[in-house]
Amino acid sequence: EPVIRLTEAKKVYRSGSIEFEALRGVDLEIGEGEYVAVMGPSGSGKSTLMNILGCLDTLSSGSYRLAGADVDDFDEVELARIRNQRIGFVFQQFNLLPSLEAWRNVELPLLYARVPAADRRRRAEEALDRVGLGDRYGNRPGELSGGQQQRVAVARALVGEPTLILADEPTGNLDSVSTEDVLGLFDELHGLGRTIVLITHEQEVADRARRTVRVRDGLLHGEEVRA
Ligand code: ADP
Ligand code: ADP
């Protein structure tokens, strides 16, 4: 069974009497260990797709299976649980808590998962080691560069050993050096067998993934696989 299986996925937004079909029948399978970029212009449905894949929202029709679980009938509590167990998120804006030291940000998913405190600290520090921030455990986000902050966010995404890493424009706020840094980290994670979905509108970023699927007007529109 693939990690992700979307079948005839449709998403309709309603405001009053107006309906808008943001996903119009998407079929997508992503297997364990794949590194896939989702590309498309603004308004094509990328965020909607990200929200579905990330269990932040549910489909209007069709089905979504994540790691063998049927997400379609989940309520908010079940969605929150599968998000926390299965998915590591990386966002464009880093989404770190500014008052917390790096390791305290990284331990957050473990806190939600009720991991004991001593284990949380050890695992948070190991995750920071893995992203090359072994000397920055105690720094707050404001004391770190943008690239370092995004590496803290990647450590936070990894710490719970999620089934899927879901990154939404992770280099959108980074200069070219930090972009290379973060993309290099994703290359490494891919090499270690992690499953990664990276949403981007930048071709150079998408080129780093092994497979690119294109979204246009709520439909998948061709795909490329690289050697
Ligand atoms: P992208 O991330 O590719 O820019 P989105 O998934 O955000 O695309 O949006 C796809 C389309 O759905 C756009 O036309 C957008 O205006 C519309 N849309 C997104 N969210 C909503 C919403 N909550 N209500 C109504 N329309 C929405
Ligand atoms: P992004 O920059 O990630 O593509 P958007 O600017 O498309 O995000 O959307 C930001 C937020 O606004 C999302 O939560 C989206 O669902 C919502 N949204 C987008 N378009 C509309 C719309 N036409 N009506 C209502 N909400 C929308």
Side-chain angles (χ1 to χ4, degrees):
E1 171 133 33
V3 171
I4 284 171
R5 179 181 282 155
L6 270 180
T7 309
E8 274 297 295
K10 296 188 181 181
K11 180 66 183 180
V12 179
Y13 293 114
R14 291 190 178 80
S15 41
S17 59
I18 299 171
E19 290 193 351
F20 184 84
E21 206 173 16
L23 295 179
R24 301 192 292 144
V26 170
D27 293 301
L28 178 64
E29 286 194 5
I30 296 177
E32 196 178 341
E34 278 202 80
Y35 181 5
V36 179
V38 176
M39 269 204 87
S42 185
S44 58
K46 296 187 303 298
S47 299
T48 302
L49 186 59
M50 155 100 184
N51 289 344
I52 297 296
L53 296 180
C55 301
L56 295 156
D57 201 356
T58 52
L59 292 170
S60 307
S61 71
S63 76
Y64 177 34
R65 283 173 70 83
L66 171 61
D70 274 308
V71 176
D72 307 310
D73 304 322
F74 280 16
D75 63 23
E76 288 299 329
V77 173
E78 293 169 309
L79 287 174
R81 187 185 307 127
I82 197 168
R83 275 201 301 275
N84 196 56
Q85 287 176 347
R86 295 293 188 187
I87 303 171
F89 290 94
V90 181
F91 301 99
Q92 178 170 0
Q93 310 289 351
F94 319 141
N95 290 20
L96 300 174
L97 295 178
S99 64
L100 298 183
E101 296 102 318
W103 79 270
R104 291 258 181 217
N105 268 286
V106 173
E107 74 161 348
L108 285 174
L110 304 179
L111 198 66
Y112 300 136
R114 301 172 194 279
V115 173
D119 292 342
R120 291 202 303 268
R121 180 159 196 154
R122 178 182 51 77
R123 287 174 61 181
E125 291 181 351
E126 282 170 7
L128 284 166
D129 292 341
R130 264 191 283 169
V131 301
L133 291 177
D135 55 346
R136 296 291 187 171
Y137 298 159
N139 288 101
R140 291 188 174 78
E143 300 164 339
L144 301 172
S145 71
Q148 289 173 328
Q149 290 183 58
Q150 195 59 305
R151 282 194 275 159
V152 173
V154 173
R156 181 183 56 189
L158 288 174
V159 74
E161 302 286 334
T163 308
L164 171 67
I165 294 169
L166 196 50
D168 189 5
E169 302 279 3
T171 61
N173 272 332
L174 300 178
D175 61 29
S176 58
V177 173
S178 299
T179 291
E180 184 48 43
D181 203 36
V182 167
L183 292 178
L185 200 51
F186 284 158
D187 289 343
E188 237 175 83
L189 294 172
H190 173 60
L192 293 170
R194 311 309 297 248
T195 309
I196 304 171
V197 174
L198 187 160
I199 292 166
T200 183
H201 65 275
E202 290 180 85
Q203 184 68 54
E204 314 88 84
V205 173
D207 284 345
R208 299 292 287 266
R210 293 300 167 276
R211 177 179 164 204
T212 298
V213 298
R214 291 177 190 281
V215 192
R216 205 165 76 195
D217 295 333
L219 290 171
L220 293 194
H221 229 270
E223 85 168 56
E224 296 142 41
V225 180
R226 282 169 213 87

